[in-house]
């Protein structure tokens, strides 16, 4: 309680300019501190938007995630419609085949989102909500320790200048208190400096998350396009064969059913 009171009094004196304020961080470290606070803010915003970018449910297993995707619902609706219309319906046959393709697209999307969550969203959250806050917490602790040191130094200086015998008798005790406070400041400062420089050295790693996002998106779209390009020609050929046969046979006045789609001819 007394230490808290001394901190508040020292801070008040420094605020109005009646007391010196010890600066323990270099200009480089102060610049890193400002950068950290900004990186935390933009990383938090990027994390928030990336979470909203996902169509699946964050943190769920792959099977549940796949079931919750809109593409999966579309796939199921198409396949159900194909089953209801039956194999004798060309529309039903096309819906069934397209439904299978949509299900493959849903699988690709699910894998993509799992990768995004693992490799980008989780690391960004770790950076914004754990790593940087822990360093900033040390910074606040250092500020408190510096206040303790400044307060102890001020009380020691007053004692050395005092003519009061009682105060003079406390000089050695106050000197020890000041030295102890300074030692705590130095220990905290060294640890904080190491952590801040370590953060600065990893800025390239943090920037890499955004490159990985584009790479993952490009890979996902390539796989999805490959699935579509594999399915479309087969579907178009099947559709063309059935409709072409129907036109030719109707023109010739031939009845029956198409052997491919079972439509009446």
């Amino acid at each position: 309680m007394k230490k808290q009171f001394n901190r508040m009094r020292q801070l008040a004196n420094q605020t109005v300019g009646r007391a010196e304020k010890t600066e323990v961080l270099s200009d480089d470290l102060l610049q890193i501190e400002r950068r950290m606070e900004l990186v935390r803010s933009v990383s938090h915003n990027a994390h928030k938007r990336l979470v909203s970018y996902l169509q699946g449910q964050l943190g769920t297993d792959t099977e549940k995630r796949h079931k919750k995707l809109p593409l999966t619902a579309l796939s199921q609706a198409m396949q159900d419609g194909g089953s209801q219309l039956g194999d004798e319906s060309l529309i039903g046959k096309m819906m069934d085949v397209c439904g299978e393709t949509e299900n493959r697209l849903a699988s690709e999307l699910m894998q993509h989102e799992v990768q995004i969550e693992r490799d980008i969203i989780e690391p960004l959250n770790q950076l914004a909500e754990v790593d940087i806050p822990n360093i900033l917490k040390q910074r606040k602790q250092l500020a408190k320790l510096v206040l303790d040191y400044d307060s102890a130094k001020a009380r020691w200086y007053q004692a050395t200048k005092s003519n009061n015998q009682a105060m003079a008798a406390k000089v050695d005790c106050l000197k020890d208190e000041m030295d102890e406070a300074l030692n705590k400041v130095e220990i905290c400062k060294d640890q904080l400096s190491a952590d801040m420089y370590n953060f600065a050295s990893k800025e390239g790693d943090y920037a890499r998350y955004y490159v990985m996002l584009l790479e993952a998106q490009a890979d996902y779209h390539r796989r999805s396009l490959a699935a579509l390009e594999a399915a479309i020609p087969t579907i178009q050929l099947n559709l063309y064969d059935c409709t072409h046969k129907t036109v030719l046979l109707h023109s010739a006045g031939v009845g029956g059913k198409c052997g491919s789609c079972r439509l009446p001819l």
Side-chain angles (χ1 to χ4, degrees), residues 33-120:
E33 180 186 7
R34 290 190 292 270
R35 178 66 62 84
M36 284 174 53
E37 292 172 342
L38 187 56
V39 169
R40 180 181 184 276
S41 176
V42 299
S43 298
H44 174 79
N45 290 336
H47 173 268
K48 182 178 179 181
R49 296 306 173 189
L50 275 169
V51 170
S52 65
Y53 158 81
L54 300 180
Q55 296 184 42
Q57 191 173 354
L58 189 70
T60 55
D61 60 66
T62 55
E63 183 178 353
K64 183 181 292 185
R65 196 174 201 139
H66 185 273
K67 288 181 180 179
K68 294 292 184 179
L69 289 174
L71 271 176
T72 304
L74 175 61
S75 167
Q76 189 62 52
M78 286 184 171
Q79 290 179 309
D80 289 346
S83 297
Q84 292 172 21
L85 290 171
D87 291 339
E88 295 185 353
S89 167
L90 179 58
I91 296 175
K93 190 169 186 177
M94 292 300 101
M95 289 185 72
D96 186 61
V97 176
C98 287
E100 291 177 2
T101 302
E102 294 295 342
N103 188 58
R104 182 177 172 185
L105 292 176
S107 296
E108 295 293 353
L109 178 59
M110 180 270 296
Q111 293 174 25
H112 168 63
E113 293 194 351
V114 167
Q115 180 186 2
I116 292 294
E117 181 180 350
R118 180 189 66 241
D119 296 342
I120 302 165

Side-chain angles (χ1 to χ4, degrees), residues 224-241:
S224 298
L225 181 59
L228 291 169
E229 288 181 333
I232 289 175
T234 302
I235 295 173
Q236 288 179 332
L237 181 61
N238 197 357
L239 178 62
Y240 173 79
D241 285 346

